[in-house]
Amino acid sequence: MAPVPSFPVKVGHIDDVQELKKTKPSSIPERFVRDMMERPKLATVTTPSSCNLNIPVVDLSKLLNSQDFHEIKKLSSSCEEWGFFQVINHGIDLDLLEKMEKIAMEFFMLPLEEKQKYPMSPGTVQGYGQAFVFSEDQKLDWCNMFALGVEPHFIRNPKLWPTKPLEFSETIDIYSREIRKLCKNLLKYIAVSLGLNEDIFEEMFGVAVQAVRMNYYPACPRPDLVLGLSPHSDGSALTVLQQGKCSSVGLQILKDNVWVPVQPIPNALVINIGDTIEVLTNGRYKSVEHRAVTHQEKDRLSIVTFYAPSYEIELGPLQKLVDENNPCKYKRYNHGEYSMHYVTNKLQGKKTLEFAKI
Ligand SMILES: COC(=O)C(/C=C/C1=C(C)CCCC1(C)C)=C/O[C@H]1C=C(C)C(=O)O1
Ligand SMILES: O=C(O)CCC(=O)C(=O)O
Ligand SMILES: [Fe+2]
């Protein structure tokens, strides 16, 4: 069953941030202004040394060609210590990445009435709008989103697949197929890095669920007051994030209580471990909290794919990763139930994962 909330949700008026920029270029409505402690500069300390930290880079070609031991080690330390890495030489055609970015941007640049033909209903996560809003007093993100369930086909809502720009649906399909292959490969090497059978995740996941979300963050007159995207961990197994070529730096990850910005590497993709892999590895590989901030002059686009097991499967920590030194931290549960829990709660750091804790 695809996760759809069954309770009524009253979200109040949600301003479209691109329209706000046009009609009231210097104002920030109260619902976007974060409480003091949540604001980008004040939420955590930033030490001079943290400014120089960069997330690790993994070269997929070294894994594909020879299962290079050094690269496998790098993959495992990235997943243990960062929960994030950038993948280079991923094999996805750069023209396809460019095309995906182009059609996503063209979609966001359509007139509001056109985009509103594909509305995200309150409390749901597919369509155009703001996801994860469940009350009238909840703070809003400085972001417009457009999200679609892609695989398996039964999670698609065909009414939400736009007819403009012209090649939108076709491009999403081709792109998603390539990203799916990448996820399968990464999961294979993640399994190897844990000393597990390389097919363990593929065999366990069944027909994997895949969704794509495009996030557009217009420039904001007061980036110090707002967040582009609230802090959260992803409910997926793996997430693949493509950053727009001319976008501002915006993604930040929480490492040792410091928000570390992710510096884009041209043509690389950002990968992060989601809650599902954290549970399966009994916490050895971390699903790390992250957020997006905005920029005063530059806009930003990100295209995000969530790759997760079938809703049917039951999962919990893998036996091989539980012993007297690593006692079991998570219960067994049905992934469909976790998905439902995830999409019916606001983004709030790693709170959603409490569902799975013993
Ligand atoms: C921040 O996370 C998300 O927006 C998100 C949503 C994904 C989904 C859709 C956009 C439509 C179809 C269902 C699905 C829930 C996958 C995150 O996805 C994660 C969360 C869970 C749980 C998951 O499986 O992927
Ligand atoms: O835009 C970004 O960099 C972050 C996006 C993200 O974390 C998400 O969509 O889950
Ligand atoms: Fe995320």
Side-chain angles (χ1 to χ4, degrees):
M1 261 284 292
V4 181
S6 54
F7 51 87
V9 180
K10 274 183 84 181
V11 297
H13 176 71
I14 298 183
D15 277 307
D16 181 285
V17 282
Q18 282 171 267
E19 296 306 305
L20 265 183
K21 276 281 293 171
K22 288 183 205 152
T23 52
K24 300 182 196 149
S26 54
S27 105
I28 313 275
E30 203 46 43
R31 276 194 87 178
F32 291 89
V33 177
R34 296 284 167 159
D35 297 336
M36 275 302 180
M37 288 313 289
E38 279 185 347
R39 293 185 188 173
K41 290 227 172 75
L42 295 172
T44 44
V45 259
T46 1
T47 60
S49 59
S50 71
C51 302
N52 300 325
L53 287 176
N54 274 322
I55 66 167
V57 177
V58 171
D59 184 340
L60 186 67
S61 68
K62 292 190 181 162
L63 294 172
L64 287 171
N65 298 336
S66 58
Q67 276 204 17
D68 184 281
F69 176 72
H70 174 74
E71 217 56 23
I72 293 275
K73 283 294 292 173
K74 208 197 270 180
L75 178 65
S76 78
S77 62
S78 309
C79 298
E80 269 183 30
E81 291 159 28
W82 291 83
F84 266 83
F85 56 92
Q86 307 213 43
V87 64
I88 57 168
N89 297 323
H90 42 65
I92 301 181
D93 185 356
L94 299 182
D95 291 341
L96 179 60
L97 298 185
E98 210 164 285
K99 180 128 190 227
M100 186 62 214
E101 179 181 338
K102 180 168 172 279
I103 56 127
M105 206 57 174
E106 278 172 13
F107 177 81
F108 284 112
M109 293 308 134
L110 290 171
L112 182 63
E113 309 78 73
E114 186 63 35
K115 292 182 279 188
Q116 282 179 335
K117 290 181 183 166
Y118 313 100
M120 187 182 286
S121 307
T124 70
V125 288
Q126 298 201 48
Y128 177 74
Q130 282 233 3
F132 303 99
V133 183
F134 296 99
S135 72
E136 295 182 78
D137 52 13
Q138 190 180 326
K139 291 292 179 192
L140 299 175
D141 292 331
W142 194 266
C143 178
N144 284 335
M145 293 170 181
F146 184 54
L148 295 169
V150 177
E151 293 294 343
H153 270 241
F154 76 85
I155 73 166
R156 294 187 181 203
N157 179 349
K159 291 196 186 109
L160 296 178
W161 285 62
T163 49
K164 284 184 197 163
L166 264 184
E167 293 179 326
F168 189 96
S169 300
E170 187 194 331
T171 307
I172 294 263
D173 272 331
I174 300 170
Y175 179 80
S176 297
R177 225 177 297 140
E178 292 304 305
I179 298 282
R180 200 172 178 87
K181 280 190 226 153
L182 174 65
C183 290
K184 285 179 196 255
N185 273 325
L186 288 170
L187 283 170
K188 185 162 119 183
Y189 297 115
I190 284 174
V192 171
S193 75
L194 290 159
L196 303 168
N197 176 324
E198 63 177 35
D199 297 323
I200 189 166
F201 297 122
E202 167 111 46
E203 284 170 4
M204 180 193 301
F205 280 17
V207 180
V209 169
Q210 194 173 340
V212 64
R213 196 166 85 192
M214 289 147 257
N215 303 306
Y216 179 68
Y217 309 93
C220 174
R222 292 293 304 271
D224 54 325
L225 299 182
V226 309
L227 284 176
L229 188 60
S230 303
H232 66 283
S233 64
D234 293 341
S236 51
L238 281 186
T239 302
V240 179
L241 182 140
Q242 178 185 345
Q243 313 204 60
K245 269 211 164 112
C246 301
S247 294
S248 59
V249 178
L251 173 61
Q252 298 183 337
I253 72 174
L254 192 60
K255 181 160 172 56
D256 305 328
N257 215 28
V258 171
W259 286 107
V260 178
V262 173
Q263 303 294 342
I265 298 176
N267 305 323
L269 294 165
V270 177
I271 310 295
N272 64 291
I273 297 293
D275 296 342
T276 306
I277 291 290
E278 173 161 333
V279 170
L280 288 168
T281 63
N282 198 30
R284 182 153 151 201
Y285 285 2
K286 308 267 178 327
S287 113
V288 163
E289 199 173 327
H290 51 286
R291 68 179 186 183
V293 297
T294 61
H295 190 277
Q296 198 159 26
E297 274 119 39
K298 288 175 94 173
D299 60 354
R300 178 164 181 269
L301 174 77
S302 65
I303 300 159
V304 183
T305 299
F306 303 104
Y307 185 86
S310 152
Y311 295 133
E312 310 293 320
I313 79 151
E314 310 289 318
L315 61 88
L318 295 166
Q319 275 307 312
K320 264 190 118 173
L321 301 175
V322 177
D323 57 37
E324 60 276 21
N325 298 321
N326 303 288
C328 190
K329 295 193 185 105
Y330 306 95
K331 61 181 186 187
R332 273 190 84 71
Y333 58 83
N334 164 268
H335 182 68
E337 273 176 46
Y338 188 67
S339 301
M340 173 63 104
H341 176 72
Y342 190 94
V343 300
T344 51
N345 282 279
K346 68 175 183 175
L347 297 179
Q348 218 179 341
K350 290 201 63 168
K351 195 155 182 285
T352 323
L353 194 55
E354 279 168 26
F355 171 99
K357 292 217 170 113
I358 288 178

